[in-house]
Structures are given as C-alpha cells and as structure tokens.
Amino acid sequence: MRALPPSLIFAPVDFERQSLANGLAAAGFHDDQPAYFQWLGVTPYLTREAIVSTLDFVASISGAEVSFEY
C-alpha cells in the first residue's frame, strides 16, 4: 500500500449540519491556497441548500477544482 502524501488531509463534514468552510477550518484548511475537492457519493443524500452552499464555497476559492457526481 502506498503512503498518503503529507499534503492530503481528510476532513469529516456533515453537510446538513455544518458548512464546508467551518469543517475545513477545523481541519486546518487555508482558503487562500488552491485546493482539489473530491465529492463523490454524497450529493444524492443532501438537500439542495446543502449542495448549493458547498459548491458556492468551493467556487469562492481561487484555483479550486472539484469532482462530484449527481
């Protein structure tokens, strides 16, 4: 098994109860740096409001990329 790179951080977030911004801040995320978000297997279980809020946050980060399914 390959070791995970030290720059990789997993941040648990309950998208219905907290914002992605708050969840990532608790994990030490810096929103002034580019980031890649992998958001797979999540959206079918969320309200429209949670999805829009999360994507709005990702869009606010300069250089951010996101992969998701719907």
Side-chain angles (χ1 to χ4, degrees):
M1 179 185 268
R2 277 175 66 179
L4 298 176
S7 61
L8 177 64
I9 298 171
F10 293 97
V13 175
D14 181 339
F15 296 97
E16 294 292 340
R17 296 176 189 221
Q18 71 185 117
S19 70
L20 179 58
N22 289 340
L24 290 178
F29 179 73
H30 298 281
D31 63 2
D32 60 341
Q33 298 176 9
Y36 173 77
F37 298 90
Q38 184 171 309
W39 204 31
L40 303 175
V42 177
T43 57
Y45 304 101
L46 298 177
T47 61
R48 177 179 171 83
E49 293 79 20
I51 294 168
V52 170
S53 172
T54 300
L55 292 175
D56 282 347
F57 172 73
V58 171
S60 75
I61 299 171
S62 180
E65 294 184 28
V66 62
S67 294
F68 66 97
E69 58 189 359
Y70 59 94

